[in-house]
Amino acid sequence: MVRKNQTLGEFIIENQAEFKYSSGELSRLINAIRLAAKVVNHEVNKAGLVDITGAAGETNIQGEQQQKLDVYANEKFIQTITNREIVCGIASEENDDFITIQGQNKDNNNKYVLLMDPLDGSSNIDVNVSVGTIFSVYRRVTPMGQPVTKEDFLQPGNQQVAAGYIVYGTSTMLVYTTGHGVNGFTLNPAIGTYYLSHPNMRFPKTGNIYSVNEGNYAQFPQGVKDYIKYCQAEEGDRPYTARYIGSLVSDFHRNMIKGGIYIYPKSKKATKGKLRLLYECNPMAFIAEQAGGKASDGFTRILDIQPESLHERVPFFCGSEEMVNKAEEFMQKAE
Ligand code: P6P
């Protein structure tokens, strides 16, 4: 049941029945994520006032310069979720390998695995542009009582039981799905409570915003070049508007509200694209589909891709269904 302005806590309790097979752990996991998000939000919102911005002097497995806030956010989410006896493992963009959580009794009886990008778009922190956290939840596939294995993380996105993001923008919002639609909660920082501000979020079937880094145009596959030219043509409802923040969560969130498509294609520089399948594309694709949108790699539904490794990358086309269909047409024609 959805009542505008109900709190996130009330929403979880009133919709507990939706969490099939869960005797409350999934609700507790969402609660833990919302707590960690409040803590991270507190730091994100004062970046620049304290020495929490800038590079941490390390690079992550992606070879990307780790920002201090990346490392801080990663630690906060791991700490908050680990000691709640809900997940048996965590995989993070910031960690080379997954983390095993055996539980207080070391009995390996926790039911879920969590995958996350703790702070996506973090290169924007120092220039005061919004960033986000992305998370994805699966039931484990290995038997209870055994330590988590890589197979528990390498599940196709169509097996997700929950996915969501926190966008630290002009307001801080938690947007998530458990397979029963998408709901958005806005944090009132004065009292630390999230309120249901965007019930039943839906991607408009079409739109006129396209989000892609056109600086890489020369390196794009021909189908992407053709689609960009289509967006720019003076015909019908076009030219479309180009909007690209450089923060996936922010571009996705705006496109879900206004209608639009986000594309991060492969290029000569990024031969598989840049975005990671497990903790960026799969959760955003689950949310997109639950909101009536679409997500593919230009040819194949993102949620049907069988992952081979934790940090693998895929090309990403995601947004309003009719816009993704049109982009896929250009990709297939150019094949
Ligand atoms: P580029 C941030 O690093 C990110 O993963 C997404 O949030 C964002 O959309 C994209 O990369 C930006 O990448 O190559 O256009 O700067």
Side-chain angles (χ1 to χ4, degrees), residues 120-121 123 213 216 244 246-249 251 262 264 274-276 280:
D120 180 72
S123 57
N213 183 344
N216 299 322
Y244 191 71
S247 179
L248 166 63
V249 169
D251 280 315
Y262 172 98
Y264 205 104
K274 175 183 182 184
L275 301 185
R276 275 60 56 138
E280 289 173 327

PDB file of all heavy atoms in Angstrom, residues 120-121 123 213 216 244 246-249 251 262 264 274-276 280, ligand 1:
ATOM      1  N   ASP A 120      29.028   6.645  -6.660  1.00  0.00           N
ATOM      2  CA  ASP A 120      29.204   6.730  -8.114  1.00  0.00           C
ATOM      3  C   ASP A 120      29.262   8.200  -8.540  1.00  0.00           C
ATOM      4  O   ASP A 120      28.542   9.036  -8.018  1.00  0.00           O
ATOM      5  CB  ASP A 120      28.030   6.040  -8.806  1.00  0.00           C
ATOM      6  CG  ASP A 120      28.178   6.122 -10.316  1.00  0.00           C
ATOM      7  OD1 ASP A 120      29.042   5.425 -10.867  1.00  0.00           O
ATOM      8  OD2 ASP A 120      27.466   6.938 -10.925  1.00  0.00           O
ATOM      9  N   GLY A 121      30.171   8.476  -9.491  1.00  0.00           N
ATOM     10  CA  GLY A 121      30.296   9.852  -9.970  1.00  0.00           C
ATOM     11  C   GLY A 121      31.180  10.682  -9.059  1.00  0.00           C
ATOM     12  O   GLY A 121      31.131  11.905  -9.035  1.00  0.00           O
ATOM     13  N   SER A 123      34.060  11.647  -9.028  1.00  0.00           N
ATOM     14  CA  SER A 123      34.975  12.691  -9.553  1.00  0.00           C
ATOM     15  C   SER A 123      34.266  14.052  -9.535  1.00  0.00           C
ATOM     16  O   SER A 123      34.895  15.096  -9.649  1.00  0.00           O
ATOM     17  CB  SER A 123      35.402  12.338 -10.982  1.00  0.00           C
ATOM     18  OG  SER A 123      34.235  12.185 -11.787  1.00  0.00           O
ATOM     19  N   ASN A 213      28.254  11.000 -23.458  1.00  0.00           N
ATOM     20  CA  ASN A 213      29.443  11.850 -23.495  1.00  0.00           C
ATOM     21  C   ASN A 213      29.892  12.007 -24.942  1.00  0.00           C
ATOM     22  O   ASN A 213      30.671  11.190 -25.466  1.00  0.00           O
ATOM     23  CB  ASN A 213      30.566  11.229 -22.659  1.00  0.00           C
ATOM     24  CG  ASN A 213      31.805  12.140 -22.633  1.00  0.00           C
ATOM     25  OD1 ASN A 213      31.935  13.054 -23.459  1.00  0.00           O
ATOM     26  ND2 ASN A 213      32.688  11.895 -21.682  1.00  0.00           N
ATOM     27  N   ASN A 216      33.327  11.551 -26.862  1.00  0.00           N
ATOM     28  CA  ASN A 216      33.881  10.294 -27.397  1.00  0.00           C
ATOM     29  C   ASN A 216      33.266   9.931 -28.750  1.00  0.00           C
ATOM     30  O   ASN A 216      33.437   8.814 -29.234  1.00  0.00           O
ATOM     31  CB  ASN A 216      33.608   9.151 -26.395  1.00  0.00           C
ATOM     32  CG  ASN A 216      34.269   9.404 -25.047  1.00  0.00           C
ATOM     33  OD1 ASN A 216      35.381   9.916 -24.997  1.00  0.00           O
ATOM     34  ND2 ASN A 216      33.586   9.072 -23.957  1.00  0.00           N
ATOM     35  N   TYR A 244      23.972  15.831 -19.878  1.00  0.00           N
ATOM     36  CA  TYR A 244      24.916  14.816 -19.394  1.00  0.00           C
ATOM     37  C   TYR A 244      25.668  15.374 -18.189  1.00  0.00           C
ATOM     38  O   TYR A 244      26.476  16.277 -18.324  1.00  0.00           O
ATOM     39  CB  TYR A 244      25.910  14.442 -20.503  1.00  0.00           C
ATOM     40  CG  TYR A 244      26.751  13.224 -20.200  1.00  0.00           C
ATOM     41  CD1 TYR A 244      26.182  11.944 -20.183  1.00  0.00           C
ATOM     42  CD2 TYR A 244      28.110  13.334 -19.917  1.00  0.00           C
ATOM     43  CE1 TYR A 244      26.948  10.815 -19.914  1.00  0.00           C
ATOM     44  CE2 TYR A 244      28.891  12.222 -19.641  1.00  0.00           C
ATOM     45  CZ  TYR A 244      28.302  10.956 -19.641  1.00  0.00           C
ATOM     46  OH  TYR A 244      29.058   9.855 -19.369  1.00  0.00           O
ATOM     47  N   GLY A 246      27.448  13.496 -16.000  1.00  0.00           N
ATOM     48  CA  GLY A 246      28.673  12.775 -15.632  1.00  0.00           C
ATOM     49  C   GLY A 246      28.493  12.029 -14.330  1.00  0.00           C
ATOM     50  O   GLY A 246      29.452  11.597 -13.701  1.00  0.00           O
ATOM     51  N   SER A 247      27.241  11.862 -13.932  1.00  0.00           N
ATOM     52  CA  SER A 247      26.902  11.084 -12.740  1.00  0.00           C
ATOM     53  C   SER A 247      25.690  10.241 -13.112  1.00  0.00           C
ATOM     54  O   SER A 247      24.574  10.762 -13.229  1.00  0.00           O
ATOM     55  CB  SER A 247      26.586  12.043 -11.582  1.00  0.00           C
ATOM     56  OG  SER A 247      26.227  11.315 -10.426  1.00  0.00           O
ATOM     57  N   LEU A 248      25.926   8.929 -13.275  1.00  0.00           N
ATOM     58  CA  LEU A 248      24.880   8.030 -13.782  1.00  0.00           C
ATOM     59  C   LEU A 248      23.574   8.173 -13.010  1.00  0.00           C
ATOM     60  O   LEU A 248      22.493   8.310 -13.595  1.00  0.00           O
ATOM     61  CB  LEU A 248      25.376   6.585 -13.713  1.00  0.00           C
ATOM     62  CG  LEU A 248      24.333   5.472 -13.886  1.00  0.00           C
ATOM     63  CD1 LEU A 248      23.693   5.527 -15.261  1.00  0.00           C
ATOM     64  CD2 LEU A 248      24.975   4.108 -13.649  1.00  0.00           C
ATOM     65  N   VAL A 249      23.686   8.186 -11.673  1.00  0.00           N
ATOM     66  CA  VAL A 249      22.472   8.211 -10.846  1.00  0.00           C
ATOM     67  C   VAL A 249      21.665   9.470 -11.139  1.00  0.00           C
ATOM     68  O   VAL A 249      20.437   9.438 -11.275  1.00  0.00           O
ATOM     69  CB  VAL A 249      22.848   8.119  -9.350  1.00  0.00           C
ATOM     70  CG1 VAL A 249      21.664   8.411  -8.465  1.00  0.00           C
ATOM     71  CG2 VAL A 249      23.404   6.740  -9.042  1.00  0.00           C
ATOM     72  N   ASP A 251      21.791  11.459 -13.934  1.00  0.00           N
ATOM     73  CA  ASP A 251      21.237  11.445 -15.301  1.00  0.00           C
ATOM     74  C   ASP A 251      20.055  10.491 -15.376  1.00  0.00           C
ATOM     75  O   ASP A 251      18.994  10.800 -15.935  1.00  0.00           O
ATOM     76  CB  ASP A 251      22.313  11.022 -16.313  1.00  0.00           C
ATOM     77  CG  ASP A 251      23.252  12.172 -16.665  1.00  0.00           C
ATOM     78  OD1 ASP A 251      22.760  13.296 -16.904  1.00  0.00           O
ATOM     79  OD2 ASP A 251      24.480  11.965 -16.691  1.00  0.00           O
ATOM     80  N   TYR A 262      19.811   7.286 -21.470  1.00  0.00           N
ATOM     81  CA  TYR A 262      21.225   7.404 -21.086  1.00  0.00           C
ATOM     82  C   TYR A 262      21.982   6.327 -21.858  1.00  0.00           C
ATOM     83  O   TYR A 262      21.559   5.174 -21.913  1.00  0.00           O
ATOM     84  CB  TYR A 262      21.369   7.170 -19.580  1.00  0.00           C
ATOM     85  CG  TYR A 262      22.803   7.073 -19.083  1.00  0.00           C
ATOM     86  CD1 TYR A 262      23.441   8.154 -18.514  1.00  0.00           C
ATOM     87  CD2 TYR A 262      23.526   5.884 -19.243  1.00  0.00           C
ATOM     88  CE1 TYR A 262      24.758   8.060 -18.065  1.00  0.00           C
ATOM     89  CE2 TYR A 262      24.840   5.787 -18.814  1.00  0.00           C
ATOM     90  CZ  TYR A 262      25.447   6.874 -18.226  1.00  0.00           C
ATOM     91  OH  TYR A 262      26.752   6.777 -17.804  1.00  0.00           O
ATOM     92  N   TYR A 264      25.953   4.730 -22.403  1.00  0.00           N
ATOM     93  CA  TYR A 264      27.406   4.684 -22.282  1.00  0.00           C
ATOM     94  C   TYR A 264      27.876   3.533 -23.168  1.00  0.00           C
ATOM     95  O   TYR A 264      27.893   2.384 -22.747  1.00  0.00           O
ATOM     96  CB  TYR A 264      27.913   4.511 -20.844  1.00  0.00           C
ATOM     97  CG  TYR A 264      29.312   5.079 -20.729  1.00  0.00           C
ATOM     98  CD1 TYR A 264      29.554   6.287 -20.122  1.00  0.00           C
ATOM     99  CD2 TYR A 264      30.397   4.428 -21.359  1.00  0.00           C
ATOM    100  CE1 TYR A 264      30.832   6.843 -20.094  1.00  0.00           C
ATOM    101  CE2 TYR A 264      31.673   4.976 -21.341  1.00  0.00           C
ATOM    102  CZ  TYR A 264      31.884   6.181 -20.716  1.00  0.00           C
ATOM    103  OH  TYR A 264      33.141   6.740 -20.711  1.00  0.00           O
ATOM    104  N   LYS A 274      32.093   1.527 -20.131  1.00  0.00           N
ATOM    105  CA  LYS A 274      32.746   1.898 -18.869  1.00  0.00           C
ATOM    106  C   LYS A 274      31.988   1.355 -17.663  1.00  0.00           C
ATOM    107  O   LYS A 274      32.581   1.029 -16.640  1.00  0.00           O
ATOM    108  CB  LYS A 274      32.834   3.418 -18.765  1.00  0.00           C
ATOM    109  CG  LYS A 274      33.391   3.902 -17.432  1.00  0.00           C
ATOM    110  CD  LYS A 274      33.406   5.405 -17.329  1.00  0.00           C
ATOM    111  CE  LYS A 274      34.020   5.870 -16.009  1.00  0.00           C
ATOM    112  NZ  LYS A 274      33.946   7.350 -15.871  1.00  0.00           N
ATOM    113  N   LEU A 275      30.677   1.267 -17.743  1.00  0.00           N
ATOM    114  CA  LEU A 275      29.859   0.949 -16.571  1.00  0.00           C
ATOM    115  C   LEU A 275      29.946  -0.534 -16.237  1.00  0.00           C
ATOM    116  O   LEU A 275      30.031  -1.383 -17.137  1.00  0.00           O
ATOM    117  CB  LEU A 275      28.405   1.371 -16.797  1.00  0.00           C
ATOM    118  CG  LEU A 275      28.193   2.852 -17.074  1.00  0.00           C
ATOM    119  CD1 LEU A 275      26.707   3.157 -17.146  1.00  0.00           C
ATOM    120  CD2 LEU A 275      28.859   3.742 -16.040  1.00  0.00           C
ATOM    121  N   ARG A 276      29.922  -0.834 -14.918  1.00  0.00           N
ATOM    122  CA  ARG A 276      30.069  -2.205 -14.460  1.00  0.00           C
ATOM    123  C   ARG A 276      28.700  -2.879 -14.428  1.00  0.00           C
ATOM    124  O   ARG A 276      27.702  -2.321 -13.951  1.00  0.00           O
ATOM    125  CB  ARG A 276      30.692  -2.206 -13.061  1.00  0.00           C
ATOM    126  CG  ARG A 276      32.215  -2.131 -13.014  1.00  0.00           C
ATOM    127  CD  ARG A 276      32.871  -0.920 -13.630  1.00  0.00           C
ATOM    128  NE  ARG A 276      32.416   0.336 -13.094  1.00  0.00           N
ATOM    129  CZ  ARG A 276      33.225   1.365 -12.817  1.00  0.00           C
ATOM    130  NH1 ARG A 276      34.500   1.244 -12.988  1.00  0.00           N
ATOM    131  NH2 ARG A 276      32.735   2.508 -12.356  1.00  0.00           N
ATOM    132  N   GLU A 280      26.278  -1.475 -11.235  1.00  0.00           N
ATOM    133  CA  GLU A 280      25.754  -0.237 -11.843  1.00  0.00           C
ATOM    134  C   GLU A 280      24.629  -0.592 -12.811  1.00  0.00           C
ATOM    135  O   GLU A 280      23.475  -0.222 -12.610  1.00  0.00           O
ATOM    136  CB  GLU A 280      26.888   0.531 -12.559  1.00  0.00           C
ATOM    137  CG  GLU A 280      27.889   1.155 -11.587  1.00  0.00           C
ATOM    138  CD  GLU A 280      29.103   1.763 -12.281  1.00  0.00           C
ATOM    139  OE1 GLU A 280      29.553   1.252 -13.320  1.00  0.00           O
ATOM    140  OE2 GLU A 280      29.619   2.780 -11.766  1.00  0.00           O
TER     141      GLU A 280
HETATM  142  P1  P6P B   1      32.683   9.796 -18.557  1.00  0.00           P
HETATM  143  C1  P6P B   1      31.078   8.033 -13.081  1.00  0.00           C
HETATM  144  O1  P6P B   1      32.459   7.734 -13.061  1.00  0.00           O
HETATM  145  C2  P6P B   1      30.436   7.097 -14.087  1.00  0.00           C
HETATM  146  O2  P6P B   1      30.625   5.774 -13.697  1.00  0.00           O
HETATM  147  C3  P6P B   1      28.955   7.415 -14.238  1.00  0.00           C
HETATM  148  O3  P6P B   1      28.378   7.834 -13.050  1.00  0.00           O
HETATM  149  C4  P6P B   1      28.957   8.508 -15.284  1.00  0.00           C
HETATM  150  O4  P6P B   1      27.750   8.554 -16.029  1.00  0.00           O
HETATM  151  C5  P6P B   1      30.130   8.098 -16.192  1.00  0.00           C
HETATM  152  O5  P6P B   1      31.010   7.328 -15.377  1.00  0.00           O
HETATM  153  C6  P6P B   1      30.878   9.306 -16.708  1.00  0.00           C
HETATM  154  O6  P6P B   1      31.935   8.812 -17.514  1.00  0.00           O
HETATM  155  O7  P6P B   1      33.643   8.895 -19.274  1.00  0.00           O
HETATM  156  O8  P6P B   1      31.613  10.333 -19.484  1.00  0.00           O
HETATM  157  O9  P6P B   1      33.321  10.865 -17.713  1.00  0.00           O
END
